[in-house]
Amino acid sequence: MLIVMKPEASDAQVEEVLKIIRDLGFKPHPMPGATRTAIGITGNQGAIDPAHFEMLSGVAEAIRVSKPYKLVGRDLKQDDTVVRVGDVEIGGSEPAIIAGPCAVETYDQTMAIAEIVASCGVKLFRGGAFKPRTSPYAFQGLGEEGLKILAEARDRFGLSIVTEVLDTETADLVEEYADVMQVGARNMQNFSLLRRVGQARKPVMLKRGMSATLDELLLAAEYIMAEGNYNVILCERGVRTFADHTRNTLDLSIVPAVQNRSHLPIIVDPSHGTGKRHKVIPLARAAVAAGADGIMVEVHNHPEQALSDGPQALLPDMFKQLVAEVHAIHKVIAEAEARLG
Amino acid sequence: MLIVMKPEASDAQVEEVLKIIRDLGFKPHPMPGATRTAIGITGNQGAIDPAHFEMLSGVAEAIRVSKPYKLVGRDLKQDDTVVRVGDVEIGGSEPAIIAGPCAVETYDQTMAIAEIVASCGVKLFRGGAFKPRTSPYAFQGLGEEGLKILAEARDRFGLSIVTEVLDTETADLVEEYADVMQVGARNMQNFSLLRRVGQARKPVMLKRGMSATLDELLLAAEYIMAEGNYNVILCERGVRTFADHTRNTLDLSIVPAVQNRSHLPIIVDPSHGTGKRHKVIPLARAAVAAGADGIMVEVHNHPEQALSDGPQALLPDMFKQLVAEVHAIHKVIAEAEARLG
Amino acid sequence: MLIVMKPEASDAQVEEVLKIIRDLGFKPHPMPGATRTAIGITGNQGAIDPAHFEMLSGVAEAIRVSKPYKLVGRDLKQDDTVVRVGDVEIGGSEPAIIAGPCAVETYDQTMAIAEIVASCGVKLFRGGAFKPRTSPYAFQGLGEEGLKILAEARDRFGLSIVTEVLDTETADLVEEYADVMQVGARNMQNFSLLRRVGQARKPVMLKRGMSATLDELLLAAEYIMAEGNYNVILCERGVRTFADHTRNTLDLSIVPAVQNRSHLPIIVDPSHGTGKRHKVIPLARAAVAAGADGIMVEVHNHPEQALSDGPQALLPDMFKQLVAEVHAIHKVIAEAEARLG
Amino acid sequence: MLIVMKPEASDAQVEEVLKIIRDLGFKPHPMPGATRTAIGITGNQGAIDPAHFEMLSGVAEAIRVSKPYKLVGRDLKQDDTVVRVGDVEIGGSEPAIIAGPCAVETYDQTMAIAEIVASCGVKLFRGGAFKPRTSPYAFQGLGEEGLKILAEARDRFGLSIVTEVLDTETADLVEEYADVMQVGARNMQNFSLLRRVGQARKPVMLKRGMSATLDELLLAAEYIMAEGNYNVILCERGVRTFADHTRNTLDLSIVPAVQNRSHLPIIVDPSHGTGKRHKVIPLARAAVAAGADGIMVEVHNHPEQALSDGPQALLPDMFKQLVAEVHAIHKVIAEAEARLG
């Protein structure tokens, strides 16, 4: 914490602030400047709320310095976390690909898409059985029936299942069937749900909220880790901005930013970020080039019949091509990184 | 729905789109223009997803026309909804004032603040027993103990209690003690929680999410009403923008926008929107002047000791003054509206 | 400036940073903490770019402390600046009202509206002769012809003229005819234009850019003041956000924020912020309640025929009513402030 | 244009709207629906302002359908525009690389960096002689002296020069020395400057404004093309959002969006978008993978001494490596596109 006094602050006001800092058990470091005094604070264990100091007489501003998270940070753990799902590593040396329909709609649709996904050598299969929908009148998913279909796709095609957990009520069910429990963007700060998946024995994929800062994303992951579940995968899926040419603005700069501060792997979902198929492929390529640990895309055999989010789903041929490109782009990057040392 | 064909779309492509619309049971209205053809669609009961048409060959764009909500809209109910809490009307002829501490911290603090609030003639008392906190290490509220303290404040000072419900697990408890159940901004799209409060017999105050559009806010209210609870109060509390001089940007323009589209009352919480006390009073005044049905503010007897959000809490004298101003400003507006007829 | 070292920074890295600070002629203040060292810097005259330090080995972050502006700040001048235009004071004890058409369209239209404005006791008349338009094919204003019409309205009705200066080429013309030269939002960082109006002998109204931070707005004003023109009026007119129910999101919280940091007056233009007439009146009232030093609104006798921005223009009766309300609301606020002392 | 009537609109109100449309010389297409009537409009040459209809009695909403630009759009010209600068093609089959210092600081610095850039096989050299700076007290560039240094770098190393034009006053000078005239983000809607560069005989690189929509960017390009200069290169450089982990949020989704609507080439500047070197390389790679027609990056031999924007400049070794990666990634994409056909 750094406290900046107003230029006109009196010596008595500075003294009062120093006293309050000492009373809190911290150590103040006054730095008189040409026009104003600043006061550094050390000795605090966690983050202090700057606002507590901004109310004091003579204080112009209080600036937070320490980061409020612990378990997710590189300060505590320098090595990258690798999350293992079946025989796939997320955060390892190869980019992970997660693919499947937005929602599980029917048995036949799911098996058809699972077959396509598996035939491309992809092992992680996504599909929603419980769907968060903006309108109460929209299709809400098949529920447990959907989970059972996913489980059968797993058995038949040797896939691992990534599926969303919407609430604590259905968390037991989802934990039973899923290999990775996905927490959606709207639930990124549903703290009860974060605690619940923190107690689960399955890895968690945590999507960034629509207007979540990097710190908020990392603190949401901290909620999960604080309960004992260290297998957390972060996921960028686009944020809310003024821009109106896409549904959300995919923020690829968060990939290196996360990698700088946290050991957790981060993947990118360009399907929801862009909302349209012709933008999904360029942005999936870009995500891998930006260094993401993987991508999650929607694939559909008949996207024009999809009950949700059809227009952003890739056709089977496009997907097959994309898988090859992801590996080719990753190879370019990996070789470059190796050369740079 | 309006479908805009590409300039180069062939007659066959136009015909195909017309056929698909008819197959869906709707009525197409083709409008050939100088450079391109547009096709209106009527006969649909609810909103259709534009994306379904944007995938078709020759289609440039599909534009949604119908609004996706029903129960919250003025189309269905033209008269303003008035929510009664004790003998206070929210959405009636007088602006409602809700005040109290951010969090219930101790018995003594709560009683002291309740006394101040009641002494100003204010009947709605706020205070959080369950607190959503960005960090898992921050104070999370007193839980049921806090609800009991609130209940005692109600009995002692004749107040009605507005308090947040964080999850479905604790919803029964909150419903038992609260007079108004508040759903926070982070939970605006926690659909399980929305359905649960939709089944409650208590009014619900629904806060706008940090990056929620007007339609999303109204659809969240629709979730609640669709379960049978028609006593919904909307609340603007600031949204996420690039601006860095406040914690959030209070969007007062949503007040007339909501009033134009919906019959539900809308109040404004300037405490969380601005994050600093010296901005709370100007923006509370502004909210009333903008026509809000009420305001919710934080009051604290010792804000410098508050465990959460102290710096935005009003001191007792400031609050007393603000109550008088709210009524004076409202009177100016009401007389003006009466003159304009 | 405060430099935060990484937890793993070596003593040699800390020493190196201290040396660099000293070499730059500044004084370093090292503060060793439990997990990391922070280093305060004093002795710098202006702001230093934090990025220069963030490149050094072992540095986690560099945080700016000093504000980069001087002339606009309260540090230098504590008393409010009052800008006098004719016999109107902007920033004085009464809220200023500026009204007129968006664009000067014809002689008759301008005189008709000027008459309405003057008949309401309003002395500041706005109207664009040079119009910035997003499309090159839209009406661009009457140019000098428009300025002459404005000048005649001034003479005939005893008004002062507020009109936009679009570029340095036409600045001489605008300076000749205008009483206040308005710099539009799109030109807030057109530094050549800022310098030019800084050399003018007329007051300048500077509109906040569509995504300008408070610091950027104040620094744009600093450009004007640095050239010697101290009569600067700031103007909030709405910013770009994700919200889609208004054209821009009016950010009234900037009013107290400006007043906290700067002595310059700030007014609010709710017409461009909201884009629709039924939102203009509530937000004009709100601006005054938030403590703005005035408002600028569009008035039109035949808004349905207006060549630009008709739908946001107030009808004469609405405007007359609004003038009365502005004064009534201001009176409530002023009395409250007087009581609070 | 599509006009949506309110559900309660009377037949007379619908008739009145139809009449007004006909009076404007357009053709109305009424479409009575179950709950409301919509009216399509054809026969208009350009875009009509929806707001003009939204004021009419009984109208709920007016929705724009036609795009407001012409020359920049694919409707008019389907083939990609290729801008030739020296023997480099921007928008052709290879990604263009533009590199150099942020600002021309000294003769020696410029020559040293030009040599590095040329030695990597890069032909387009950037460097600012006129710098837009947020603060009036920051380094503003060397002016004509800087242009002369750039010209010498061109002659000595066979480079083409990309440099910013800040205002119409210095446009003649810049046009004389530059091979590509760059219009900065802050000037994207400086319409006088756009017209001036539209009259220039040199290609123009137009940077997206900090909060510009896709339509606004394309309309700014339309201003330039409407004056006769068809050699326009668009440039994404990051937009303003709530996200605080980068200076701006690089919006790579605009690359496919521009390519869908316009024939103009688009490049990406990841240096200004991210503000930090360790994010520049991942995002430069990502830009190429997203299909951008090129990238613009800052290179500096001694970034720690740079007078502006040093921390985002690449070191020579990093840059050399990046050039190789750009070509390798582009090859992957190009081959994939060829296979997809």
Side-chain angles (χ1 to χ4, degrees):
Chain A
M1 179 77 56
L2 183 79
I3 295 174
V4 185
M5 303 298 295
K6 291 180 180 166
E8 70 272 19
S10 67
D11 287 355
Q13 286 174 327
V14 173
E15 275 308 316
E16 175 65 16
V17 172
L18 296 178
K19 183 177 175 308
I20 286 170
I21 294 167
R22 277 188 219 104
D23 288 353
L24 287 164
F26 308 143
K27 185 167 163 27
H29 300 256
M31 294 176 283
T35 56
R36 56 173 82 201
T37 293
I39 303 167
I41 301 181
T42 57
N44 48 315
Q45 287 306 312
I48 318 172
D49 186 352
H52 281 273
F53 294 98
E54 294 188 343
M55 297 182 300
L56 302 173
S57 307
V59 171
E61 204 174 355
I63 300 169
R64 175 176 278 159
V65 171
S66 302
K67 288 300 166 196
Y69 42 80
K70 298 174 188 171
L71 301 170
V72 301
R74 285 228 186 255
D75 288 1
L76 199 81
K77 175 173 185 291
Q78 304 234 352
D79 293 342
D80 290 349
T81 287
V82 176
V83 177
R84 281 176 190 79
V85 183
D87 52 359
V88 176
E89 289 186 347
I90 302 177
S93 57
E94 285 295 310
I97 300 177
I98 306 170
C102 179
V104 176
E105 292 164 10
T106 64
Y107 180 88
D108 289 348
Q109 163 246 22
T110 307
M111 294 306 144
I113 301 174
E115 185 168 13
I116 295 163
V117 167
S119 75
C120 295
V122 167
K123 305 276 187 161
L124 301 172
F125 187 62
R126 62 152 290 160
F130 296 96
K131 301 296 303 172
R133 302 303 301 269
T134 303
S135 163
Y137 311 121
F139 172 63
Q140 311 267 334
L142 297 182
E144 186 171 7
E145 174 64 20
L147 292 174
K148 286 181 179 164
I149 295 175
L150 287 169
E152 184 157 339
R154 171 173 47 204
D155 296 343
R156 213 159 120 183
F157 299 104
L159 299 165
S160 295
I161 301 300
V162 180
T163 196
E164 182 160 356
V165 54
L166 260 192
D167 49 33
T168 51
E169 287 89 331
T170 53
D172 287 352
L173 256 185
V174 174
E175 187 177 355
E176 184 187 337
Y177 287 97
D179 297 298
V180 176
M181 299 171 82
Q182 174 183 317
V183 174
R186 292 172 183 83
N187 275 324
M188 195 201 81
Q189 292 196 317
N190 180 338
F191 302 119
S192 306
L193 184 61
L194 295 179
R195 284 202 201 88
R196 171 61 187 82
V197 297
Q199 294 152 8
R201 294 143 303 141
K202 299 280 176 72
V204 175
M205 174 185 300
L206 176 66
K207 287 193 155 185
R208 181 183 183 188
M210 289 187 199
S211 56
T213 62
L214 174 56
D215 274 0
E216 288 170 342
L217 173 62
L218 294 178
L219 281 167
E222 186 88 16
Y223 262 94
I224 300 171
M225 294 183 75
E227 297 291 325
N229 190 343
Y230 282 39
N231 288 308
V232 179
I233 306 149
L234 305 174
C235 179
E236 161 67 23
R237 43 77 75 203
V239 292
R240 278 278 158 87
T241 72
F242 68 88
D244 55 5
H245 60 278
T246 38
R247 195 157 65 171
N248 297 288
T249 299
L250 199 68
D251 176 14
L252 291 181
S253 73
I254 206 169
V255 171
V258 160
Q259 290 167 343
N260 192 37
R261 295 225 200 136
S262 174
H263 49 84
L264 294 176
I266 178 162
I267 68 162
V268 173
D269 173 353
S271 300
H272 287 83
T274 60
K276 295 203 184 160
R277 191 185 303 144
H278 78 271
K279 287 177 191 153
V280 171
I281 289 186
L283 290 170
R285 292 166 176 162
V288 176
D293 296 299
I295 55 168
M296 177 154 77
V297 293
E298 295 182 7
V299 175
H300 205 286
N301 50 343
H302 296 298
E304 71 287 359
Q305 297 169 4
L307 296 181
S308 70
D309 289 335
Q312 68 204 26
L314 298 180
L315 300 173
D317 279 358
M318 290 174 166
F319 174 63
K320 190 174 178 182
Q321 172 76 36
L322 181 61
V323 171
E325 288 174 67
V326 161
H327 290 294
I329 293 171
H330 177 73
K331 205 173 150 220
V332 171
I333 310 303
E335 289 173 0
E337 294 290 333
R339 265 196 298 278
L340 281 175
Chain B
M1 179 79 57
L2 182 79
I3 294 174
V4 185
M5 302 299 294
K6 291 180 180 166
E8 70 271 19
S10 67
D11 287 356
Q13 286 174 327
V14 173
E15 275 309 316
E16 176 65 16
V17 173
L18 296 178
K19 182 177 175 309
I20 287 170
I21 294 167
R22 279 187 218 105
D23 288 353
L24 287 165
F26 308 144
K27 185 166 164 26
H29 300 256
M31 294 176 281
T35 58
R36 54 173 83 201
T37 293
I39 304 167
I41 301 181
T42 57
N44 47 316
Q45 286 308 312
I48 318 173
D49 185 351
H52 281 274
F53 293 99
E54 293 187 344
M55 295 182 302
L56 302 174
S57 306
V59 171
E61 206 175 355
I63 299 168
R64 176 177 276 159
V65 171
S66 303
K67 288 300 167 197
Y69 40 82
K70 300 175 189 172
L71 301 170
V72 302
R74 285 230 187 254
D75 288 1
L76 199 81
K77 175 173 186 291
Q78 303 234 352
D79 293 342
D80 290 348
T81 286
V82 176
V83 177
R84 280 177 190 79
V85 183
D87 51 0
V88 176
E89 288 185 349
I90 302 177
S93 58
E94 284 295 309
I97 299 177
I98 306 170
C102 178
V104 175
E105 292 164 10
T106 65
Y107 180 88
D108 288 350
Q109 163 247 21
T110 307
M111 294 306 146
I113 301 174
E115 185 168 15
I116 294 164
V117 167
S119 76
C120 295
V122 167
K123 304 277 189 161
L124 301 172
F125 187 61
R126 61 153 290 157
F130 296 96
K131 299 296 301 173
R133 301 304 300 270
T134 303
S135 164
Y137 311 121
F139 173 62
Q140 312 268 331
L142 296 183
E144 184 170 9
E145 173 65 21
L147 293 173
K148 287 181 178 165
I149 295 175
L150 287 170
E152 184 155 341
R154 169 172 49 204
D155 295 345
R156 216 159 120 183
F157 299 104
L159 298 165
S160 295
I161 301 300
V162 179
T163 196
E164 181 160 355
V165 54
L166 260 192
D167 48 33
T168 51
E169 289 88 331
T170 54
D172 287 353
L173 257 184
V174 174
E175 186 176 357
E176 183 186 337
Y177 288 97
D179 296 297
V180 176
M181 298 170 83
Q182 173 182 317
V183 173
R186 291 172 185 82
N187 275 323
M188 194 201 83
Q189 292 195 318
N190 180 337
F191 302 119
S192 306
L193 185 60
L194 296 179
R195 284 203 200 88
R196 172 61 188 80
V197 298
Q199 293 152 8
R201 294 141 306 142
K202 298 283 176 69
V204 175
M205 173 184 300
L206 176 66
K207 286 195 154 184
R208 180 182 183 190
M210 290 186 198
S211 55
T213 62
L214 174 56
D215 274 0
E216 288 170 341
L217 173 61
L218 294 178
L219 281 168
E222 186 89 16
Y223 261 92
I224 300 171
M225 294 183 73
E227 297 290 325
N229 190 342
Y230 282 39
N231 287 308
V232 179
I233 305 149
L234 305 175
C235 179
E236 161 67 23
R237 44 76 75 202
V239 291
R240 277 277 159 87
T241 73
F242 68 90
D244 55 4
H245 60 278
T246 39
R247 197 157 62 171
N248 297 288
T249 299
L250 200 69
D251 176 16
L252 291 180
S253 73
I254 206 169
V255 171
V258 160
Q259 290 167 343
N260 192 37
R261 295 227 199 135
S262 174
H263 49 84
L264 294 175
I266 178 162
I267 69 162
V268 173
D269 173 353
S271 299
H272 286 85
T274 61
K276 295 203 185 161
R277 191 184 302 142
H278 78 270
K279 288 178 190 151
V280 171
I281 288 187
L283 290 170
R285 293 166 176 162
V288 176
D293 296 300
I295 56 168
M296 176 155 77
V297 293
E298 295 183 9
V299 175
H300 205 285
N301 51 344
H302 296 299
E304 71 287 359
Q305 297 171 4
L307 295 180
S308 72
D309 289 335
Q312 67 205 28
L314 298 180
L315 300 173
D317 279 0
M318 291 174 166
F319 174 64
K320 191 175 177 180
Q321 172 75 36
L322 181 61
V323 172
E325 288 174 67
V326 161
H327 290 294
I329 294 171
H330 176 75
K331 204 173 150 220
V332 171
I333 310 303
E335 288 173 1
E337 294 289 333
R339 265 196 299 278
L340 280 177
Chain C
M1 178 77 57
L2 181 79
I3 294 174
V4 185
M5 303 299 295
K6 292 179 179 165
E8 70 272 19
S10 67
D11 287 355
Q13 286 174 328
V14 173
E15 274 309 315
E16 176 65 17
V17 173
L18 296 178
K19 183 178 174 308
I20 286 171
I21 294 167
R22 280 187 216 104
D23 288 353
L24 287 164
F26 309 142
K27 185 165 163 26
H29 300 256
M31 293 175 283
T35 57
R36 54 173 85 200
T37 294
I39 304 168
I41 301 181
T42 58
N44 48 317
Q45 287 307 311
I48 319 172
D49 186 349
H52 280 274
F53 294 98
E54 293 188 343
M55 296 181 302
L56 302 174
S57 305
V59 171
E61 207 175 354
I63 300 168
R64 176 177 277 158
V65 171
S66 303
K67 288 299 166 198
Y69 42 79
K70 300 174 188 172
L71 301 170
V72 302
R74 287 233 186 250
D75 287 0
L76 199 81
K77 176 174 185 292
Q78 304 235 351
D79 293 341
D80 290 347
T81 286
V82 176
V83 177
R84 283 178 188 75
V85 183
D87 51 2
V88 176
E89 288 185 348
I90 302 177
S93 58
E94 285 296 311
I97 300 176
I98 306 170
C102 178
V104 176
E105 292 165 9
T106 66
Y107 180 88
D108 289 350
Q109 162 247 23
T110 308
M111 293 306 146
I113 300 174
E115 186 167 15
I116 295 163
V117 167
S119 75
C120 296
V122 167
K123 304 277 188 158
L124 301 173
F125 188 61
R126 59 153 291 159
F130 296 96
K131 298 297 302 173
R133 302 304 300 269
T134 302
S135 164
Y137 310 120
F139 173 62
Q140 311 270 332
L142 295 183
E144 185 170 7
E145 175 64 20
L147 292 173
K148 287 181 178 163
I149 295 174
L150 287 170
E152 184 155 341
R154 170 171 50 204
D155 296 345
R156 215 159 121 185
F157 299 103
L159 298 164
S160 295
I161 301 299
V162 179
T163 196
E164 181 160 355
V165 53
L166 260 193
D167 49 33
T168 51
E169 288 88 331
T170 54
D172 287 353
L173 257 184
V174 174
E175 187 177 355
E176 184 187 337
Y177 287 98
D179 296 297
V180 176
M181 299 171 82
Q182 174 183 319
V183 174
R186 291 172 184 83
N187 275 324
M188 194 201 82
Q189 291 195 319
N190 180 338
F191 302 119
S192 306
L193 184 60
L194 295 179
R195 284 203 200 88
R196 171 62 187 81
V197 298
Q199 293 152 9
R201 295 142 304 140
K202 299 282 175 69
V204 175
M205 174 184 301
L206 176 67
K207 287 194 154 185
R208 181 183 183 189
M210 289 185 197
S211 56
T213 62
L214 174 56
D215 274 0
E216 288 171 342
L217 173 62
L218 293 178
L219 281 168
E222 186 88 17
Y223 261 94
I224 300 171
M225 294 183 73
E227 297 290 325
N229 189 343
Y230 282 39
N231 288 309
V232 179
I233 305 149
L234 304 175
C235 179
E236 161 67 24
R237 43 78 73 204
V239 292
R240 278 276 159 89
T241 73
F242 69 90
D244 54 4
H245 60 277
T246 40
R247 196 156 64 170
N248 298 289
T249 300
L250 200 68
D251 176 15
L252 290 180
S253 73
I254 206 168
V255 171
V258 160
Q259 290 167 343
N260 193 36
R261 295 227 198 133
S262 173
H263 49 83
L264 294 175
I266 178 161
I267 69 162
V268 173
D269 173 352
S271 299
H272 286 84
T274 60
K276 294 201 185 163
R277 191 186 301 144
H278 77 271
K279 288 178 189 152
V280 171
I281 289 187
L283 290 170
R285 293 165 176 163
V288 176
D293 296 300
I295 56 167
M296 177 154 78
V297 292
E298 295 183 8
V299 175
H300 205 286
N301 49 345
H302 296 297
E304 71 286 359
Q305 296 170 6
L307 295 181
S308 70
D309 289 335
Q312 68 205 28
L314 298 180
L315 300 173
D317 279 359
M318 291 173 167
F319 175 64
K320 190 174 179 181
Q321 172 77 34
L322 180 62
V323 172
E325 288 174 67
V326 161
H327 290 295
I329 293 171
H330 176 74
K331 204 172 152 223
V332 171
I333 310 302
E335 288 173 0
E337 294 289 333
R339 265 195 300 276
L340 280 175
Chain D
M1 179 77 58
L2 182 80
I3 294 174
V4 185
M5 303 299 294
K6 291 180 181 166
E8 69 272 19
S10 66
D11 287 355
Q13 286 174 328
V14 174
E15 275 308 316
E16 175 65 16
V17 174
L18 296 178
K19 182 177 176 308
I20 286 171
I21 294 168
R22 279 188 217 104
D23 287 354
L24 287 165
F26 308 143
K27 184 165 165 28
H29 300 257
M31 294 176 281
T35 56
R36 53 174 84 201
T37 293
I39 304 168
I41 302 182
T42 57
N44 48 316
Q45 286 307 310
I48 319 172
D49 187 352
H52 280 274
F53 293 99
E54 293 188 343
M55 296 182 303
L56 302 174
S57 306
V59 171
E61 206 175 355
I63 299 168
R64 173 175 280 158
V65 171
S66 302
K67 288 299 165 196
Y69 41 78
K70 299 175 189 173
L71 300 170
V72 302
R74 285 231 188 252
D75 287 0
L76 199 80
K77 175 174 185 291
Q78 304 234 353
D79 293 342
D80 290 349
T81 287
V82 176
V83 177
R84 281 177 189 78
V85 183
D87 51 2
V88 176
E89 289 185 347
I90 302 177
S93 57
E94 286 296 310
I97 300 177
I98 306 170
C102 178
V104 176
E105 291 165 9
T106 67
Y107 179 87
D108 288 349
Q109 164 247 20
T110 308
M111 293 306 145
I113 300 173
E115 186 168 12
I116 295 163
V117 167
S119 75
C120 294
V122 167
K123 304 278 188 157
L124 300 172
F125 188 61
R126 61 153 289 158
F130 296 96
K131 300 297 303 172
R133 302 304 300 268
T134 303
S135 164
Y137 310 121
F139 172 63
Q140 311 269 331
L142 296 181
E144 184 170 8
E145 175 63 20
L147 293 173
K148 286 182 178 164
I149 295 174
L150 287 170
E152 185 155 340
R154 169 171 49 204
D155 296 344
R156 216 160 119 184
F157 299 104
L159 298 164
S160 295
I161 301 300
V162 179
T163 196
E164 181 160 355
V165 54
L166 261 191
D167 49 33
T168 51
E169 288 89 331
T170 53
D172 287 352
L173 256 184
V174 174
E175 187 176 356
E176 184 187 335
Y177 288 97
D179 296 297
V180 176
M181 299 170 83
Q182 174 182 318
V183 174
R186 291 172 184 81
N187 275 324
M188 195 202 82
Q189 291 194 318
N190 180 338
F191 301 119
S192 306
L193 184 60
L194 295 180
R195 283 202 201 87
R196 171 61 187 80
V197 299
Q199 293 151 9
R201 294 143 304 140
K202 298 282 175 70
V204 175
M205 174 184 302
L206 175 67
K207 286 193 155 187
R208 181 183 182 188
M210 290 186 199
S211 56
T213 62
L214 174 56
D215 274 359
E216 288 170 342
L217 173 62
L218 293 178
L219 281 168
E222 186 89 16
Y223 261 94
I224 299 171
M225 294 183 74
E227 296 290 325
N229 190 343
Y230 282 37
N231 288 308
V232 178
I233 305 149
L234 305 175
C235 180
E236 160 67 23
R237 44 75 75 201
V239 293
R240 278 278 158 88
T241 72
F242 68 89
D244 55 4
H245 61 276
T246 39
R247 196 157 64 172
N248 297 289
T249 300
L250 200 69
D251 176 14
L252 291 180
S253 72
I254 206 168
V255 171
V258 160
Q259 290 166 343
N260 192 37
R261 295 228 198 133
S262 173
H263 50 83
L264 294 175
I266 178 161
I267 68 163
V268 172
D269 173 353
S271 300
H272 286 83
T274 61
K276 293 199 186 164
R277 191 186 303 145
H278 78 271
K279 288 180 189 148
V280 171
I281 288 186
L283 290 170
R285 292 167 178 163
V288 176
D293 296 299
I295 56 169
M296 178 155 76
V297 293
E298 295 183 8
V299 175
H300 205 286
N301 50 344
H302 296 298
E304 70 287 359
Q305 298 170 4
L307 296 180
S308 71
D309 289 335
Q312 68 204 28
L314 298 179
L315 300 173
D317 279 358
M318 291 173 165
F319 175 64
K320 190 174 177 181
Q321 172 77 34
L322 181 61
V323 172
E325 287 174 67
V326 161
H327 290 295
I329 293 171
H330 176 74
K331 205 174 149 219
V332 171
I333 310 302
E335 288 173 1
E337 294 290 334
R339 264 195 300 277
L340 280 177

